[in-house]
């Protein structure tokens, strides 16, 4: 189906999950990358998907989204930006 579908979301990450993505163990620490153990965190996201039907079976779509990192992730020494952008485009065939 075609159309425009906006979305917003909130995502909680446990301390273990935040540590997996944004933590730095002591054995991974280097000059300029200190050890870091984040606590649990909350991320916010927003995006939009646009679909264009091309006949009965084919459709084109594009999706753009942004995740805004929480304070624990932003403070990590391996994070360069406080947001993550995502872009996707494709075609779909319905059987």
């Amino acid at each position: 189906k075609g159309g425009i579908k906006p979305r917003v979301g909130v995502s909680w990450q446990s301390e273990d999950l935040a540590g997996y993505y944004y933590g730095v163990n002591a054995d991974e620490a280097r000059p300029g990358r200190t050890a870091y153990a984040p606590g649990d965190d909350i991320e916010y996201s927003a995006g939009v998907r646009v679909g264009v039907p091309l006949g009965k079976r084919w459709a084109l779509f594009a999706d753009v989204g942004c995740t805004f990192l929480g304070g624990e992730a932003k403070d990590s020494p391996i994070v360069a930006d406080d947001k993550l952008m995502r872009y996707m485009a494709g075609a779909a065939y319905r059987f």
Side-chain angles (χ1 to χ4, degrees), residues 6 9 14-15 18 27 45 54 56 69 71-72 74 86-87 95:
S14 68
E15 184 176 327
D27 60 333
S45 61
L54 300 174
K56 287 184 174 184
L69 300 178
E72 294 290 315
K74 284 192 275 189
R86 182 175 64 94
Y87 311 95
F95 293 94

Side-chain angles (χ1 to χ4, degrees), residues 31-66:
R33 183 177 68 197
T34 59
Y36 181 69
D40 62 335
D41 209 357
I42 295 178
E43 298 178 344
Y44 302 92
S45 61
V48 64
R49 180 183 172 126
V50 177
V52 178
L54 300 174
K56 287 184 174 184
R57 297 193 178 269
W58 284 96
L60 298 177
F61 64 90
D63 191 288
V64 177
C66 183

